Amino acid sequence: MSTVNSLLAAISDEGRDAKRGGYSRPVYSDAEITLREWFMAEANSRGLEVSTDANGIIWAWWDMPGSAKDEASRRGALVTGSHLDSVPGGGAFDGPLGVASALAAYDVLAEREASGALLRNRALALTVFPEEEGSRFGVACLGSRLLTGAIDPARALNLRDAQGNTFADIATAHGLDPARMGRDEVALARIGDFIELHVEQGKGLNSEEYTDHAGRGPAIAVGDSILGHGRWRLSFSGQGNHAGTTLMTDRADPMIAAAQTIVAVRQIAAAQDSARATVGRLEPVPGGTNVIASRVDMWLDVRHPDDAITAMLVEKIHGQAQKLAAFEGCRVLLTEESFSNTVHFDSALTRSLSSSVQRLVPDAPLLPTGAGHDAGVLAAEVPSGMLYVRNPSGISHSPEEYVEDDDASAGVLALADALEDLL
């Protein structure tokens, strides 16, 4: 029986980023494909039936003994999993911890069933969702959005990566049929409940509220809610020109307007309680050292528990960007790339998860998060819930993201217990 730590160790060299540190595993890159193949091989070695659906989601089925292994017998199954893609220079645990824990939890459950300690009344599926981070095509949770119909397939297929490849081109190159992509009623009917285990992406479990006298927080938390959040692109356009021959007074430089807007983003967000606003990506065109840019694209991430306040913050930022751009003789265009409402996970499922987890971790709290997940997208369609494993660094989307081996092992047992209670 594999441990979660040995499973993670097996993929620890895939997608290492020598320039940024950490891992860069964009969807359908060589590294992410290798990890998808690793998952399918691990599932096959356990006797699970593996398939990839029209939206690129991998399903590994533990069917009921003697069942027909068809859609009827899989309807209302219990499903768990996460993703294998990463942000640029991300940590080792964001996504893969949930996938490896699903495999390790299956091992625990299979052993219990073999000993007669587990009697199931429905199938279990392990899943891998593609493009959760949105690091290649700009829309987070793209696989689950397609599955649920939360994104128009035509829009998804026309998304482009940094090299100009459309999602349709890349999907086709990896054996998918773009004409079949979109809301999948059959696949949705398979999901009776969805549970996602994930590394905690903040300091919640290490906060003073939960830590003991030694300063250590509980190993596991149960997800309560996800902040509403979205991504917007601000495109500042001006006059491209020569850096040496153009006087400072003769410039319409979109980089200046973009830079001043970045400062305004921080000020606007800091003035609003519980708000987060981030500019993590800036692309000047044409991008030469001795060239005044003709356009600067800037990506904005805004989050708040109240969706109306999120919208208000974006409106304020856009208004300030327009003023700053006009002062520099430039223009700015705002485009929404994705938005997810604040999610409160299914209350009955959350109570079940808490009851299960607290047998192992009595002080496991309910925890809200500001990070988006596939479980948050699925929550609009099926009962969904989350488990978080403590991250001592409190840092995520960075090489410094971390999970201790003992906590990862506790996460597997907590997940297995929660799944057993639901099976």
Side-chain angles (χ1 to χ4, degrees):
M1 183 169 72
S2 301
T3 67
V4 65
N5 299 306
S6 66
L7 287 165
L8 289 169
I11 59 172
S12 62
D13 289 332
E14 295 298 334
R16 285 191 180 274
D17 192 320
K19 179 180 178 182
R20 301 181 180 95
Y23 297 88
S24 293
R25 298 161 168 167
V27 70
Y28 298 130
S29 63
D30 289 346
E32 200 254 3
I33 288 293
T34 297
L35 264 59
R36 288 167 69 89
E37 291 171 347
W38 161 83
F39 170 77
M40 290 187 282
E42 288 288 344
N44 280 320
S45 73
R46 288 162 169 79
L48 305 180
E49 185 171 299
V50 182
S51 62
T52 302
D53 70 16
N55 292 310
I57 302 165
I58 304 173
W59 301 77
W61 285 97
W62 189 29
D63 291 294
M64 291 290 290
S67 73
K69 299 184 179 182
D70 57 11
E71 294 299 338
S73 66
R74 291 171 175 175
R75 189 178 183 89
L78 180 58
V79 181
T80 187
S82 193
H83 63 98
L84 291 168
D85 64 304
S86 79
V87 297
F93 300 93
D94 180 357
L97 178 65
V99 175
S101 295
L103 288 164
Y106 161 80
D107 290 341
V108 173
L109 294 172
E111 200 169 75
R112 291 177 184 176
E113 185 178 59
S115 70
L118 169 63
L119 296 174
R120 293 187 290 139
N121 60 24
R122 58 173 166 165
L124 174 71
L126 315 183
T127 56
V128 174
F129 287 90
E131 185 68 330
E132 192 271 353
E133 297 292 3
S135 62
R136 182 165 188 178
F137 292 101
V139 175
C141 301
L142 187 57
S144 54
R145 287 180 190 273
L146 282 165
L147 169 66
T148 59
I151 187 171
D152 180 0
R155 182 191 166 211
L157 291 167
N158 283 304
L159 294 170
R160 292 183 181 272
D161 64 14
Q163 287 71 45
N165 302 301
T166 67
F167 179 59
D169 292 338
I170 297 301
T172 301
H174 289 89
L176 300 176
D177 180 359
R180 296 179 58 223
M181 286 185 159
R183 183 176 172 88
D184 189 335
E185 298 289 357
V186 172
L188 284 169
R190 297 173 189 149
I191 309 174
D193 300 281
F194 178 73
I195 313 299
E196 182 172 3
L197 180 144
H198 207 277
V199 58
E200 189 200 354
Q201 295 181 279
K203 297 180 178 180
L205 285 171
N206 284 328
S207 65
E208 188 176 335
E209 181 179 1
Y210 300 122
T211 50
D212 59 20
H213 65 278
R216 183 183 179 88
I220 311 295
V222 176
D224 174 53
S225 60
I226 296 177
L227 289 184
H229 59 282
R231 298 180 184 186
W232 291 262
R233 185 175 73 250
L234 289 159
S235 294
F236 296 84
S237 56
Q239 178 60 62
N241 216 327
H242 194 291
T245 62
T246 309
L247 299 177
M248 302 305 286
T249 53
D250 292 340
R251 299 184 178 205
D253 188 346
M255 185 65 82
I256 303 302
Q260 292 174 333
T261 298
I262 292 171
V263 176
V265 166
R266 179 181 176 86
Q267 293 169 339
I268 290 168
Q272 178 65 55
D273 217 20
S274 301
R276 288 93 150 148
T278 306
V279 175
R281 182 177 162 204
L282 197 70
E283 289 187 1
V285 177
T289 304
N290 58 348
V291 180
I292 300 167
S294 58
R295 189 180 83 246
V296 174
D297 291 329
M298 183 180 96
W299 280 265
L300 173 70
D301 181 303
V302 181
R303 307 180 188 223
H304 192 276
D306 185 329
D307 297 334
I309 292 179
T310 302
M312 177 272 290
L313 289 167
V314 174
E315 186 178 347
K316 273 191 176 181
I317 291 166
H318 184 210
Q320 189 64 13
Q322 288 176 312
K323 292 177 184 177
L324 294 167
F327 187 80
E328 296 298 328
C330 299
R331 301 174 304 281
V332 62
L333 174 67
L334 176 73
T335 305
E336 180 183 302
E337 294 200 334
S338 67
F339 181 76
S340 298
N341 295 320
T342 292
V343 172
H344 295 278
F345 288 118
D346 183 85
S347 57
L349 182 55
T350 298
R351 285 194 299 272
S352 175
L353 292 176
S354 292
S355 176
S356 302
V357 171
Q358 285 173 1
R359 294 200 301 270
L360 180 71
V361 184
D363 54 349
L366 288 176
L367 203 65
T369 184
H373 300 284
D374 289 307
V377 175
L378 292 172
E381 300 288 336
V382 299
S384 300
M386 293 198 69
L387 303 181
Y388 300 117
V389 178
R390 189 176 71 96
N391 176 354
S393 70
I395 296 171
S396 189
H397 283 184
S398 162
E400 295 168 77
E401 175 183 273
Y402 186 60
V403 171
E404 294 177 353
D405 287 354
D406 287 349
D407 287 349
S409 298
V412 170
L413 291 176
L415 178 61
D417 287 349
L419 295 173
E420 178 176 350
D421 290 344
L422 291 164
L423 284 169

